[in-house]
Amino acid sequence: MAAPAEPPALAAPVPASEPGSLSQWALIGRRFRHHRLAVASLFLLAVLYVLALGAEFFAPYSRDWRDLSHAYCPPQLPRYSWAHGLHVTALRVRIDPLTFKKSYVEDPADVIPLGFFVRGEPYRLWGWIPLERHFFGVKLEAPRRADGARPTFYFLGADEYGHDIFSRLIHGSRISLSVGLVAIAVTFMLGVTIGGISGYFGGAVDTLIQRVIEVVNAFPQIPLWLAFGAILPAEWPPLSTYFAITLVLSLLGWTGLARVVRGKILSLREEDYATAARLLGASHTRILFRHLLPGFTSHIIVVLTMSVPAMILGETSLSFLGLGLRAPIVSWGVMLQDCLSIQTVANYPWLLMPVVLIVLTVLSFNFLGDGLRDAADPYATK
Amino acid sequence: MKPDTPSPLLSVRGLTKHFPVLTPGFRRRQTGVIKAVDDVSFDLAPGESLGLVGESGCGKTTTARCLLRAIEPTAGVTLFRLPDGRTVDLARLSDRELKPVRQHAQMVFQDPFSSLNPRMTVRDIVGEPLVIHRLAQGADLDDRVSAMLARVGLRPEHRSRYPHAFSGGQRQRIGIARALIMRPSLIVCDEATSALDVSVQAQVLDLLKELQRDFGLTYLFVAHNLDVVRNFCDRVAVMRKGRIVELAATRDIFTAPQHPYTRILLSAVPSPDPDVKMNFNVGEELAKLDALTG
């Protein structure tokens, strides 16, 4: 339902808020803006998705860039001084002569200047726009290290192989954040079609579909995911694995939506306007999609928003358990595989950064869904 | 009334609708039937208004809905003459054959609030029949919608509003515009005015009469308000328990009712004349009538 355009033939100019011509979406938007937490969540999610979209640009390093000499390098907070501008000081490895424990010490004499929109590794944005500027990173004119390599900057530290965790978080968000959306798209199609048929035609079809939904819901999820994950051949290219994972996630996730759709259709199909449409000669598809579904699109959106976190968590759990995506693909779940041992976590807590992002994302989606639900029915009394 | 009209527009014979009564639980055995419409027959001459009256639950609405196949009739023949001279049996057409016929027979609903989709603008509601039957699009569609809205007494600039912004009477006008935009020959009014207050009722009835004159419409007018029927219809059919008990010209029904049930029904209407005693014993008399007829 697009916002209705005013007919141009009108003599008197009609104000945009002519009574009764605000669409349902305008009313929902108005109410949604009162839900501060939801608006903040929406903003945060927008930032995360923009970061994911422009990952190559926003990440200081590429997905596979690494510097083995800086394995497990701790996070380096940028500092500011009049003399050097934005900078970090270089870290030198020091090996304890007694325990051989590696540690990093700052070398205040060695300043690495940082900047925004710096030249770095060349890359292709979205695979085809050749660029070499990064949002921020080490300035090109920074003095080279003794071994001739460019000085490094680990904003959130490094992992076992000297990968930059911050860069990998951004690259990984591309998979982790989109898996939810793709899975939701499949869930939406399955849920609306199956639920719609169930509610619209009723009778034996309805009974059959409802029993199938109960059986699907009765399956224990994790073992089933594991079974599906185990089926996926290891030699599949990353993209196929990715889509297979989303399919696995949504094959179990559509039942909730199907139930909502069925319930709503069951009540709406008895409305006179559905009968009226039928008497006008409208086809079943037209009645279902033009008359019945728009009556609760907002509810569908809410249910979908609320189930994105489950999808994201699903991908993370599968990848964490080693049955979903595998290296060299980077996702938040794949990154968490490094945290399987308590020693690693205790010594290098920055490896847990993906958890922070996952929690933030899931919370944001929940708050967003909450706000949308409150705003969904503009005619409901508070 | 036009008694000797050679070919009726609509000719209904033995229309029947039975609803099965099922036992609750899993097996759902059928234990009986409710005869909502039981062997109803009547003719509708072109240009006339036939009133269908009766108490609540007598099957008037079911009859109306069976005619237009909003409900599938159990049995019966509904011969409908199309403008091109062909005659089709509405009760037996398949969905695909029925679609083009629907251009010529439309319904106006009782509840002006639930019969308009709250998520669609007036333009979309009134223009939808033209879109479904591919009769117009673009600017032509817009023009025809505006013309139709003006015809039923609404302002064309109301097109972009949603139904919730209108009063009951205005909504009913939108419903009428939707039914008439394809220029049908038969309009079934299912209690079209009973949800409106009295002054608005009169306006909508006037509009319906005016449209009947201008477009040569034929009405089947389902109502429970006898005063409305008396002023609006040429002939009246009285229904009780799914059957038509009496069918006669309006004046005859109101001045010389033949069937005892019609008499009871008429006596239950309060009269503005304070000397006319109102019948408060309707229930008792109906019971007596049932005892007589078995």
Side-chain angles (χ1 to χ4, degrees):
Chain A
M1 276 188 347
E6 284 299 331
L10 283 184
V14 179
S17 62
E18 202 228 341
S21 63
L22 271 183
S23 79
Q24 188 208 0
W25 296 108
L27 294 170
I28 289 183
R30 198 190 266 179
R31 190 181 275 198
F32 179 75
R33 280 192 287 280
H34 289 297
H35 201 301
R36 294 258 175 81
L37 207 51
V39 175
S41 300
L42 183 67
F43 185 72
L44 180 66
L45 285 175
V47 169
L48 284 175
Y49 275 96
V50 166
L51 283 181
L53 208 63
E56 291 97 340
F57 171 69
F58 289 108
Y61 296 106
S62 72
R63 191 189 75 183
D64 298 320
W65 175 90
R66 63 185 189 179
D67 182 353
L68 268 174
S69 67
H70 279 68
Y72 292 128
C73 175
Q76 296 173 287
L77 266 185
R79 286 170 220 163
Y80 187 83
S81 76
W82 287 111
H84 306 294
L86 208 57
H87 68 280
V88 287
T89 45
L91 293 176
R92 304 238 177 280
V93 185
R94 202 182 63 104
I95 299 178
D96 189 302
L98 286 178
T99 61
F100 291 108
K101 190 187 175 203
K102 265 181 24 171
S103 60
Y104 286 90
V105 282
E106 284 191 31
D107 179 357
D110 196 351
V111 167
I112 303 170
L114 302 178
F116 285 96
F117 302 106
V118 291
R119 258 174 225 275
E121 272 182 280
Y123 58 92
R124 284 173 177 272
L125 188 60
W126 304 316
W128 55 279
I129 308 175
L131 286 175
E132 53 173 16
R133 299 256 172 201
H134 291 263
F135 182 59
F136 84 111
V138 180
K139 280 187 177 162
L140 194 64
E141 62 270 23
R144 300 241 161 191
R145 283 195 322 221
D147 59 0
R150 291 186 61 185
T152 54
F153 161 56
Y154 292 100
F155 183 41
L156 293 178
D159 67 5
E160 190 184 355
Y161 305 104
H163 290 125
D164 176 29
I165 289 193
F166 181 67
S167 300
R168 282 167 76 84
L169 273 180
I170 294 184
H171 286 290
S173 69
R174 210 171 240 193
I175 300 248
S176 293
L177 291 179
S178 68
V179 93
L181 296 191
V182 176
I184 278 304
V186 180
T187 305
F188 171 77
M189 284 188 283
L190 284 175
V192 166
T193 316
I194 299 178
I197 290 173
S198 181
Y200 187 73
F201 292 103
V205 182
D206 183 34
T207 315
L208 181 73
I209 292 180
Q210 291 312 306
R211 294 302 87 78
V212 169
I213 287 181
E214 275 151 27
V215 171
V216 171
N217 275 349
F219 273 127
Q221 279 211 337
I222 295 266
L224 201 63
W225 277 349
L226 293 184
F228 275 126
I231 296 172
L232 299 181
E235 66 272 12
W236 270 16
L239 203 67
S240 316
T241 322
Y242 169 77
F243 279 111
I245 293 284
T246 57
L247 210 64
V248 169
L249 290 174
S250 43
L251 276 181
L252 290 179
W254 58 270
T255 51
L257 181 67
R259 284 219 158 131
V260 171
V261 171
R262 171 194 177 252
K264 283 282 175 186
I265 297 257
L266 265 182
S267 68
L268 286 183
R269 70 168 183 177
E270 299 303 328
E271 293 280 329
D272 271 348
Y273 64 78
T275 313
R278 200 146 50 84
L279 291 186
L280 292 175
S283 60
H284 290 309
T285 340
R286 187 181 174 88
I287 296 174
L288 197 55
F289 289 101
R290 185 90 176 85
H291 289 271
L292 299 182
L293 276 183
F296 58 100
T297 331
S298 44
H299 294 262
I300 296 181
I301 293 175
V302 172
V303 174
L304 288 181
T305 314
M306 293 291 216
S307 52
V308 171
M311 302 291 177
I312 293 181
L313 287 176
E315 184 273 328
T316 311
S317 334
L318 276 180
S319 301
F320 175 71
L321 293 172
L323 288 152
L325 300 165
R326 302 175 184 92
I329 307 176
V330 178
S331 82
W332 294 345
V334 172
M335 291 176 76
L336 282 179
Q337 284 176 10
D338 296 343
C339 306
L340 280 171
S341 86
I342 184 73
Q343 271 131 333
T344 327
V345 176
N347 288 327
Y348 319 112
W350 52 87
L351 290 182
L352 285 173
M353 266 319 282
V355 174
V356 176
L357 277 183
I358 291 167
V359 169
L360 271 181
T361 312
V362 169
L363 279 182
S364 299
F365 268 111
N366 282 337
F367 287 135
L368 179 68
D370 227 29
L372 284 175
R373 187 179 51 202
D374 291 349
D377 207 340
Y379 303 113
T381 46
K382 276 195 178 167
Chain B
M1 182 192 168
K2 297 151 194 156
D4 316 311
T5 312
S7 70
L9 179 75
L10 183 75
S11 168
V12 181
R13 292 289 174 270
L15 189 71
T16 302
K17 177 65 191 177
H18 290 174
F19 291 105
V21 181
L22 302 172
T23 51
F26 192 67
R27 286 189 51 212
R28 304 182 67 77
R29 270 179 311 116
Q30 187 174 339
T31 53
V33 288
I34 290 176
K35 297 179 176 177
V37 180
D38 195 10
D39 195 17
V40 163
S41 305
F42 59 86
D43 282 344
L44 255 180
E48 83 164 337
S49 308
L50 174 68
L52 197 56
V53 297
E55 63 196 20
S56 296
C58 72
K60 347 180 257 294
T61 295
T62 312
T63 308
R65 293 193 172 211
C66 278
L67 286 182
L68 295 188
R69 290 274 293 274
I71 304 174
E72 293 298 317
T74 313
V77 178
T78 318
L79 295 177
F80 178 60
R81 191 155 51 81
L82 296 174
D84 60 11
R86 281 187 305 137
T87 301
V88 291
D89 182 2
L90 286 179
R92 237 170 286 273
L93 288 180
S94 70
D95 278 351
R96 185 183 299 180
E97 294 164 326
L98 198 57
K99 187 180 167 185
V101 176
R102 291 206 183 279
Q103 291 179 34
H104 308 293
Q106 278 301 312
M107 183 179 259
V108 176
F109 287 81
Q110 170 176 19
D111 184 353
F113 288 88
S114 80
S115 65
L116 304 179
N117 189 337
R119 307 286 194 236
M120 285 164 80
T121 60
V122 170
R123 181 214 325 264
D124 291 338
I125 291 172
V126 176
E128 191 179 22
L130 299 179
V131 174
I132 290 174
H133 293 276
R134 302 213 171 86
L135 297 175
Q137 53 181 328
D140 181 29
L141 179 79
D142 251 18
D143 292 347
R144 286 175 71 171
V145 168
S146 301
M148 197 65 229
L149 286 179
R151 193 65 202 74
V152 298
L154 291 170
R155 296 221 305 271
E157 58 264 34
H158 287 168
R159 280 178 307 175
S160 54
R161 290 193 187 177
Y162 288 85
H164 67 81
F166 293 92
S167 69
Q170 286 174 315
R171 282 163 154 254
Q172 202 56 299
R173 285 168 194 267
I174 298 170
I176 293 171
R178 171 177 61 188
L180 286 183
I181 198 159
M182 291 188 294
R183 297 292 153 88
S185 45
L186 173 68
I187 297 284
V188 175
C189 297
D190 182 12
E191 309 246 16
T193 59
S194 60
L196 308 173
D197 61 56
V198 180
S199 59
V200 179
Q201 236 177 42
Q203 293 168 14
V204 171
L205 286 173
D206 283 345
L207 173 69
L208 286 174
K209 258 191 183 151
E210 210 179 294
L211 293 168
Q212 180 171 37
R213 245 193 341 267
D214 296 355
F215 295 151
L217 298 172
T218 307
Y219 286 126
L220 178 67
F221 198 85
V222 177
H224 60 254
N225 186 334
L226 291 175
D227 278 339
V228 169
V229 173
R230 178 183 226 155
N231 292 320
F232 190 80
C233 299
D234 305 309
R235 288 192 302 154
V236 177
V238 181
M239 271 188 91
R240 175 149 202 256
K241 295 189 173 173
R243 289 170 167 274
I244 290 185
V245 294
E246 186 168 0
L247 172 61
T250 308
R251 200 193 315 161
D252 299 342
I253 288 270
F254 282 93
T255 54
Q258 297 300 307
H259 194 275
Y261 176 69
T262 314
R263 265 178 248 148
I264 297 171
L265 199 64
L266 287 174
S267 69
V269 179
S271 163
D273 182 351
D275 292 335
V276 174
K277 204 167 180 296
M278 202 181 132
N279 181 4
F280 288 105
N281 286 331
V282 173
E284 233 171 78
E285 289 182 22
L286 281 179
K288 255 188 245 166
L289 177 67
D290 282 341
L292 275 175
T293 53

